[in-house]
Amino acid sequence: MATLHTVNKSPFESATFETCLGLAKSGSTVLLIEDGVYAATTGNSAADAISNAEGINFAVLGPDAKARGVESKLADGIKVVDYTGFVELAAEHDTVQAWL
Amino acid sequence: MAKKFMYLNRKAPYGTVYALESLEVVLIGAAFDQDVSLAFVGDGVYQLTKGQKTDDIGQKNFSPTYSALGDYDVNKIYVEKESLEERGLSLDDLQHLVWEDEDEDWAEKDSIRLVSRAELADVLAEQDITLSF
Amino acid sequence: MPIEVNGKSYETDEEGYLANLNEWEPAIGEAMAAAEDCQLTDEHWDIINFLREYYEEYQIAPAVRVLTKAVGKRLGKEKGNSKYLYDLFPYGPGKQACKYAGLPKPTGCV
């Protein structure tokens, strides 16, 4: 069962991202949207959580990263998707869990 | 007697409406000739990042408006150093905000003051009124 | 209420401000001014154009105090005072000139 997790909160603002990573299983995907995209930037204090999360794929919603001026600061290995890509991810996974 | 007003900005832009609301209150409040300062701490520092482009999310890009603050005599903009570092940011990632000093033939001066957490605590302690967004 | 200019209809809000600033063209400003018995001169256009440029750069219509200072700097000291601006735009330079410029009402302007 592969799950697509969406996280829309900044990792500095709430524990949502951390909680999601703690409960996400190997093979699932975490898509960072809205203020969640900040977690995917290089050099931030939450960045280790991404590099240490084995077996989990990370993606970022491009329009949200672009709006916030962090598109060029995204860490390596993070897939950037547009709205169509979001839909495709949802279709590829068995379930979608939206972390609020 | 002008009072010392501090607008304390703690939230990232766009995800919530706090950043835009704060900016509008600052612009409206600037008409009242008070001694205004702004501080950006925590995720608030993200409000000032360069290169914001909101066309694809259907929201207004209000980041250019920070550059107008100098015209409104709002030229004390404190940015907390630790907040930038925790987010992997430096001053170079932020917009260059300036104000023009009318008394010195419109000389351009920097508005942003990079301060440590301890220094910012001192600045906050000096305020008459602090509004937190 | 929409405004008719050269056979085209443009959406405005209840106070007559243009709904979509990208639709603006000088003829719309002329028509709005004519409806308020105001004949636009070059001096009016200096201010209107300045407001549009300011909005383009900062995404806001400047407060009157900011406009006054900026006009004084750009167009000369003798124009950078509220008397000059109110003579041109008796309903208030912020309100009236912004309307002709197709901009929203300045933030904080009631």
Side-chain angles (χ1 to χ4, degrees), chain A residues 1 12-13 22-24 26 29 36 38 40 45 47 52 54 56 58-59 64 72-73 75 82 87 89 96:
Chain A
M1 276 279 285
F12 310 107
E13 173 89 359
L23 295 170
S26 180
T29 301
Y38 293 122
S45 54
N52 294 338
E54 272 180 53
I56 296 177
F58 288 91
D64 283 332
S72 61
K73 294 186 73 78
D82 58 11
V87 175
L89 280 177
V96 177

Side-chain angles (χ1 to χ4, degrees), chain C residues 15 95 105-106 108-110:
Chain C
E15 292 178 281
K95 265 185 186 173
K105 208 156 74 165
C109 184
V110 277

Side-chain angles (χ1 to χ4, degrees), chain A residues 28-83:
Chain A
S28 61
T29 301
V30 176
L31 172 63
L32 300 162
I33 62 172
E34 299 170 27
D35 288 346
V37 302
Y38 293 122
T41 55
T42 52
N44 84 69
S45 54
D48 282 352
I50 291 188
S51 42
N52 294 338
E54 272 180 53
I56 296 177
N57 306 302
F58 288 91
V60 155
L61 190 61
D64 283 332
K66 200 167 144 193
R68 288 162 180 77
V70 297
E71 205 185 18
S72 61
K73 294 186 73 78
L74 297 176
D76 289 341
I78 292 182
K79 188 177 170 185
V80 180
V81 298
D82 58 11
Y83 293 109

Side-chain angles (χ1 to χ4, degrees), chain C residues 19-70:
Chain C
N20 181 357
L21 81 133
N22 296 321
E23 290 180 345
W24 185 88
E25 46 184 296
I28 295 176
E30 299 274 8
M32 285 175 166
E36 293 177 345
D37 289 325
C38 175
Q39 183 68 44
L40 295 183
T41 62
D42 287 350
E43 284 71 31
H44 290 96
W45 279 110
D46 281 344
I47 306 301
I48 293 171
N49 289 329
F50 173 80
L51 286 170
R52 286 195 63 86
E53 285 166 28
Y54 197 92
Y55 193 92
E56 176 66 30
E57 183 165 2
Y58 300 116
Q59 299 297 304
I60 49 165
V64 174
R65 181 171 63 96
V66 174
L67 173 67
T68 310
K69 201 163 77 173

Side-chain angles (χ1 to χ4, degrees), chain A residues 10-13 34-35 38-39 41-46 63-64 66-70 73 83, chain B residues 10-16 43 46 49-54 56-57 85-89 93:
Chain A
S10 156
F12 310 107
E13 173 89 359
E34 299 170 27
D35 288 346
Y38 293 122
T41 55
T42 52
N44 84 69
S45 54
D64 283 332
K66 200 167 144 193
R68 288 162 180 77
V70 297
K73 294 186 73 78
Y83 293 109
Chain B
R10 299 178 38 245
K11 303 259 201 287
Y14 310 117
T16 62
D43 279 354
Y46 285 130
T49 53
K50 278 179 194 166
Q52 297 177 26
K53 292 191 187 70
T54 60
D56 298 340
I57 63 164
E85 286 167 357
E86 283 159 15
R87 288 160 184 77
L89 300 173
D93 295 304

